[in-house]
Amino acid sequence: MDLDLVTRNPTGDAAVSVLRAKAQLRNALERPRREGLRIGLVPTMGFLHEGHLSLLRAARAECDLVVMSLFVNPTQFGPGEDLDRYPRDGERDLRLAAEAGADFVYTPPVEEVYPEGFATTVAVGGPLTEVLDGDPARRGPGHFRGVTTVVAKLLNSVGPDVAYFGQKDAQQAAVVRRMVGDLDFPVRIEVLPTVREPDGLAMSSRNAYLEPADRERAAAISRALGVVRDAALGGRPLAAALAAGAAELAAAGIEPEYLEARDAETLAAVEQLGERPVLVAVAAPVGAARLIDNVLIDPASGGGEAAATSPLGND
Ligand code: AMP
């Protein structure tokens, strides 16, 4: 990737500064911080889509200065996962980030983040990282160790007032919240709704792996979540609601790795809908992609996410 230090958007009036070294980043942020400007951080692995852009726009609206990190973090990929083929388009990312209002893009090389001799990790223990994607038979707790380690480093390098994450990766958001609370990071974590394609498919950089027929089938994932949510809110036991969701997936030829209902904050197993919000989460291979998605059922607010044009609605 050979990128100009400053990229202008097509109108020429929005510019983003590209920084590759922690020292540069600290320098650039020192004065704004001293002047009391509010700094927002949006961590990404690039190949930007509307989901990322919704986070950047929120940061732009709420903060004086917006930093996007663009780093495909090798330590959160397991052996045999898609690190080598993860989609990348740095130039397009810089243009989109500038248009969405980013002031700085921090895109360090791997050796800037993990220099020779690097030996420290940050791990959230317990069920938060051991279930769903953290189940050792799936991505495993090592995935979340990679996430929390890099997020801790980014929070320390940027020192934001607010950091923005997507509900699309609900477990990641819960784990990051726990880390920030447990380790007293002076930052507010904002988790924003999942942005979806018109047919309900959650936007994801990994959707680029889908062949047209698989792309069409993939819409069954959000439909299945809608089926589970509606059945549960309609009074069916969670097990029956989940079975109805699994049938929706099966009809599209999709066999999930998991489709589970869990307490939205602790990720403890739940047998029936009570007062607390429940997260229904799914991971499923579709063609060459492993896709994840979820829906929040909040009985206290009279249901879950509002139904709009797509089965689960957009933000
Ligand atoms: P990634 O580049 O996949 O690591 O994602 C960077 C951030 O964007 C994470 O906080 C994700 O949860 C968030 N994100 C990814 N997809 C979506 C989406 N469809 N809607 C909202 N946020 C998203």
Side-chain angles (χ1 to χ4, degrees):
M1 201 167 47
D2 183 23
L3 305 168
D4 292 330
L5 204 61
V6 174
T7 297
R8 294 194 176 279
N9 77 5
T11 59
D13 56 7
V16 63
S17 301
V18 182
L19 308 172
R20 297 180 190 288
K22 278 178 294 233
Q24 273 182 314
L25 183 67
R26 288 230 173 83
N27 269 343
L29 296 179
E30 191 192 317
R31 184 156 163 203
R33 197 187 327 279
R34 212 173 345 105
E35 290 174 351
L37 296 193
R38 190 177 175 72
I39 301 174
L41 169 66
V42 179
T44 81
M45 299 205 300
F47 211 67
L48 300 187
H49 51 67
E50 278 297 320
H52 299 112
L53 300 182
S54 73
L55 304 184
L56 286 169
R57 291 187 194 114
R60 178 72 282 160
E62 296 168 8
C63 301
D64 302 308
L65 214 133
V66 177
V67 181
M68 182 183 96
S69 60
L70 194 180
F71 180 63
V72 182
N73 175 35
T75 65
Q76 70 190 72
F77 289 77
E81 288 190 16
D82 56 346
L83 174 62
D84 293 340
R85 65 183 178 122
Y86 196 83
R88 296 166 204 243
D89 189 342
E91 302 231 357
R92 178 174 170 276
D93 286 346
L94 293 187
R95 183 168 50 75
L96 292 177
E99 285 169 11
D103 298 298
F104 293 101
V105 172
Y106 175 50
T107 180
V110 172
E111 53 286 6
E112 176 74 8
V113 181
Y114 302 112
E116 178 100 20
F118 185 89
T120 305
T121 56
V122 179
V124 171
L128 274 184
T129 57
E130 288 167 357
V131 302
L132 302 177
D133 267 14
D135 185 320
R138 297 170 189 147
R139 300 192 80 179
H143 162 65
F144 289 109
R145 193 165 56 239
V147 169
T148 39
T149 300
V150 82
V151 171
K153 286 176 65 76
L154 290 169
L155 292 175
N156 282 335
S157 300
V158 175
D161 298 282
V162 195
Y164 295 83
F165 293 85
Q167 175 67 15
K168 155 80 172 25
D169 299 276
Q171 186 172 15
Q172 168 176 287
V175 169
V176 167
R177 267 193 201 290
R178 186 85 242 170
M179 174 191 78
V180 161
D182 288 354
L183 296 184
D184 306 320
F185 278 92
V187 64
R188 181 160 63 83
I189 300 298
E190 275 287 321
V191 180
L192 298 184
T194 302
V195 178
R196 300 177 178 282
E197 300 284 358
D199 67 357
L201 177 65
M203 291 198 183
S204 165
S205 306
R206 291 189 167 97
N207 292 349
Y209 299 149
L210 296 169
E211 299 292 340
D214 292 325
R215 166 65 191 82
E216 209 167 299
R217 285 193 312 133
I221 293 177
S222 63
R223 277 205 308 276
L225 291 171
V227 164
V228 177
R229 178 200 54 195
D230 293 346
L233 287 172
R236 292 180 69 187
L238 275 180
L242 290 166
E248 184 75 31
L249 292 175
I254 296 173
E255 195 183 323
E257 270 181 32
Y258 61 79
L259 172 62
E260 294 179 23
R262 294 192 167 265
D263 182 278
E265 194 187 327
T266 64
L267 300 187
V270 282
E271 304 299 331
Q272 61 187 51
L273 216 52
E275 315 253 286
R276 290 170 59 81
V278 164
L279 181 78
V280 179
V282 60
V286 181
R290 177 187 187 272
L291 303 179
I292 60 168
D293 197 355
N294 65 82
V295 65
L296 206 54
I297 308 178
D298 188 355
S301 74
E305 293 154 34
T309 52
S310 68
L312 296 172
N314 272 336
D315 54 331

